[in-house]
Amino acid sequence: MTKLNLPDYKLQSEEVKDRFERLKQRPVTLEVKNLYKHFNSRNGQVTALKDINLKIHKREFVCVIGPSGCGKSTLIRILAGLEQASTGEVLLNGNAVSKPGPERGMVFQGYTLFPWLTVKRNVMFGLIESGYGEGEAEAEALQWIDLIGLKRFAESYPHQLSGGMKQRVAIARALANKPKVLLMDEPFGALDAQTRAKMQAYLLEIWKNIDITVFFITHDLDEAIYLADRILVLKANPGEVQELIEVPVPHPRNPDQLLSPEFLATKKRLEELIHPPTTDTDEDHLNLMRMVHVDDDVGSVF
């Protein structure tokens, strides 16, 4: 088998270098400073997040990956104001974040639409809560529903929609209040591969056309590289920053790039970080009792 020689994942074209130089000159929208999160357990205090520091610039798309238990969901909930940090702070445009607010929209992995409301009413909900009048909220909601391509489903109920359609409505609902930051906690994790690919394309198109900064959690390495400007890699126990990768894949993104040298080199680096080589002393292994005949080796059947 021929070994694939990949370029260093840090190598960038002049086009990509220029893009990152311009990105760094934009204002910082979201900043995390010296953030720690501790939980109490029966065995004492557990540190879920340790000394997280991060600056996210205006209209940047940042993905977060890491092994299970590294604190990805805890971090995004703190950014949303749904949980409080033990120490440290989160700043949005220089102002401290301490509770949920309309300047941050949130999309979860589960389908969180109100089942008793139509698509239109789901998108209108946050607008009315923010003080919009009925007519104004309806007009605004219909614009967002049209943007996500679901205009003819405006009067449908969630149970009448596919999984991908539900998440498009959830995105529209989150964006309707015109937040500065869109927080997404594995929003496409429950979708099949084909629908997931469509949703990624929808999200990139929306992000390209509106003034929004995106903070996106995923377990999927391909998804992170395909979507992100930068990828924040967390390690577990405790959750802390392992590396912050500038994705060398140029924009605009398209599915053909999944096989490009830049894409594959970045994926190789992520796999090295997320799945480092194991040793015989590692605790994370299976203790199995053989329950078949010794000569019944499935590995040699073919």
Side-chain angles (χ1 to χ4, degrees):
M1 181 180 293
T2 303
K3 183 178 180 180
L4 182 63
N5 291 316
L6 296 175
D8 190 295
Y9 74 102
K10 293 182 179 180
L11 293 178
Q12 299 173 348
S13 67
E14 291 302 316
E15 175 190 352
V16 172
K17 287 180 182 178
D18 181 63
R19 174 180 172 80
F20 277 112
E21 284 303 314
R22 287 185 282 112
L23 180 65
K24 291 170 185 175
Q25 294 172 9
R26 296 177 188 168
V28 173
T29 295
L30 193 64
E31 184 174 5
V32 182
K33 299 174 68 175
N34 308 117
L35 188 145
Y36 285 75
K37 178 64 177 180
H38 307 297
F39 294 101
N40 292 319
S41 72
R42 288 182 296 180
N43 298 320
Q45 190 179 80
V46 175
T47 301
L49 293 170
K50 176 183 176 182
D51 199 22
I52 305 295
N53 289 275
L54 177 67
K55 290 182 179 181
I56 302 174
H57 296 267
K58 181 179 174 66
R59 297 207 65 203
E60 187 176 5
F61 200 127
V62 173
C63 282
V64 184
I65 65 167
S68 295
C70 70
K72 298 186 296 294
S73 291
T74 300
L75 175 59
I76 202 170
R77 288 178 64 83
I78 292 173
L79 299 186
L82 298 172
E83 289 189 27
Q84 298 299 310
S86 300
T87 60
E89 59 183 341
V90 176
L91 303 175
L92 179 65
N93 293 326
N95 300 312
V97 170
S98 59
K99 60 183 180 180
E103 71 282 355
R104 283 154 290 138
M106 184 83 175
V107 180
F108 299 90
Q109 179 177 348
Y111 307 132
T112 56
L113 302 180
F114 300 122
W116 60 88
L117 296 180
T118 63
V119 166
K120 182 176 71 176
R121 284 286 168 182
N122 264 285
V123 179
M124 289 174 61
F125 181 84
L127 294 167
I128 291 175
E129 290 292 306
S130 297
Y132 280 68
E134 184 79 15
E136 189 181 8
E138 180 177 14
E140 187 73 21
L142 288 174
Q143 287 185 26
W144 285 102
I145 292 168
D146 189 27
L147 178 69
I148 61 171
L150 292 178
K151 186 175 181 179
R152 66 191 183 96
F153 295 95
E155 300 300 333
S156 299
Y157 288 87
H159 74 271
Q160 297 172 307
L161 306 178
S162 68
M165 293 164 72
K166 291 176 185 176
Q167 284 300 62
R168 281 153 69 184
V169 176
I171 292 171
R173 185 176 65 180
L175 292 174
N177 277 317
K178 298 182 176 64
K180 299 298 182 186
V181 178
L182 181 62
L183 304 169
M184 310 186 80
D185 190 0
E186 297 190 67
F188 308 148
L191 303 178
D192 63 85
Q194 185 176 5
T195 304
R196 187 173 191 147
K198 289 181 180 178
M199 289 301 301
Q200 291 166 359
Y202 275 123
L203 181 58
L204 283 178
E205 193 64 24
I206 291 170
W207 171 64
K208 185 172 69 175
N209 286 286
I210 65 174
D211 182 8
I212 194 75
T213 301
V214 182
F215 188 85
F216 187 106
I217 288 179
T218 180
H219 274 102
D220 190 302
L221 304 187
D222 286 347
E223 182 170 70
I225 302 167
Y226 183 65
L227 293 176
D229 289 313
R230 293 189 295 165
I231 300 173
L232 176 67
V233 185
L234 298 179
K235 59 181 179 180
N237 304 315
E240 58 184 317
V241 176
Q242 188 169 12
E243 194 162 327
L244 187 58
I245 294 176
E246 294 182 347
V247 178
V249 181
H251 284 268
R253 301 281 168 78
N254 63 75
D256 293 339
Q257 293 170 314
L258 271 67
L259 296 177
S260 70
E262 298 88 354
F263 196 104
L264 294 175
T266 307
K267 185 173 181 180
K268 180 175 182 289
R269 177 55 181 165
L270 292 178
E271 288 174 338
E272 291 170 350
L273 293 170
I274 302 298
H275 307 295
T278 58
T279 66
D280 293 338
T281 59
D282 287 340
E283 296 181 0
D284 190 15
H285 65 276
L286 297 177
N287 295 313
L288 295 178
M289 178 186 300
R290 191 173 183 100
M291 301 176 70
V292 295
H293 294 296
V294 174
D295 59 352
D296 185 12
D297 186 353
V298 294
S300 62
V301 171
F302 301 103

